[in-house]
Amino acid sequence: MSGFFVALSSIDDVKHFVDAASRCPCEVDVLSGRYVINAKSIMGLFSLDLSQPVQVEVHGTDAQRGAFQADVAAFRVDAGQ
């Protein structure tokens, strides 16, 4: 399983991301440092430092992972950013 990075710079970005994760039938985690947060939890995401990109891991089939990544493609960034 490989992850990807997203940058969520506004409240609307976080809402869109959580909505996309909630539509996903599989588990989606957001990793920031030592913390692992359920991506379907808006309160959980707001507990993180979102000034930096966070890592996302989708625990599902390739089709589920691809659909979710397409849904949040606007937030995706390279790991080096």
Side-chain angles (χ1 to χ4, degrees):
M1 163 186 42
S2 63
F4 59 98
F5 287 82
V6 296
L8 304 171
S9 57
S10 73
I11 292 172
D12 287 335
D13 289 354
V14 174
K15 287 180 185 178
H16 179 87
F17 183 84
V18 170
D19 287 343
S22 295
R23 286 190 302 272
C24 187
C26 57
E27 295 298 317
V28 182
D29 292 331
V30 175
L31 293 79
S32 178
R34 299 179 335 168
Y35 299 103
V36 178
I37 302 295
N38 182 341
K40 298 175 183 183
S41 168
I42 196 164
M43 293 300 290
L45 284 178
F46 281 125
S47 73
L48 298 176
D49 175 12
L50 296 177
S51 66
Q52 299 294 320
V54 292
Q55 185 175 356
V56 178
E57 291 186 355
V58 181
H59 306 281
T61 65
D62 289 341
Q64 291 168 331
R65 188 176 304 114
F68 179 74
Q69 286 180 350
D71 208 7
V72 297
F75 309 120
R76 194 164 179 173
V77 296
D78 292 330
Q81 291 184 340

